Amino acid sequence: MKAFKITFLSLASLLWIQCAEEQKLHDCIDESKINETAACYEIYAPVCGCDGKTYSNDCYAQNAGVTSYTVGACSEKN
């Protein structure tokens, strides 16, 4: 029974973490701002989106619906 409790708690913890990550991604992308046909300038000035993806520049990030980003490429850990 003790092993079942530990397994159940481990599973519950993993599900909670997964839900938190999904909520973070949901808050990061505004689907109403996604514009796949928009033209962006072709200057490489990478930004790291809140979704952990590196975009070529802020225009690409904004048209992907990213709500926030930082200047520079994402680290390899993302």
Side-chain angles (χ1 to χ4, degrees):
M1 186 67 158
K2 188 174 184 178
F4 175 75
K5 261 186 179 177
I6 293 171
T7 303
F8 177 76
L9 291 175
S10 297
L11 180 60
S13 295
L14 287 174
L15 290 174
W16 181 81
I17 290 169
Q18 182 180 359
C19 290
E21 288 296 318
E22 288 176 8
Q23 184 62 39
K24 180 180 173 186
L25 184 59
H26 176 73
D27 293 343
C28 176
I29 304 294
D30 182 346
E31 292 185 9
S32 70
K33 294 185 179 188
I34 296 173
N35 186 351
E36 295 176 358
T37 60
C40 287
Y41 50 91
E42 295 299 321
I43 297 173
Y44 186 69
V47 297
C48 181
C50 52
D51 58 351
K53 295 181 184 177
T54 299
Y55 295 88
S56 298
N57 58 49
D58 60 339
C59 179
Y60 282 100
Q62 291 167 359
N63 288 313
V66 175
T67 58
S68 66
Y69 52 85
T70 56
V71 175
C74 299
S75 68
E76 291 182 26
K77 292 180 183 177
N78 287 342

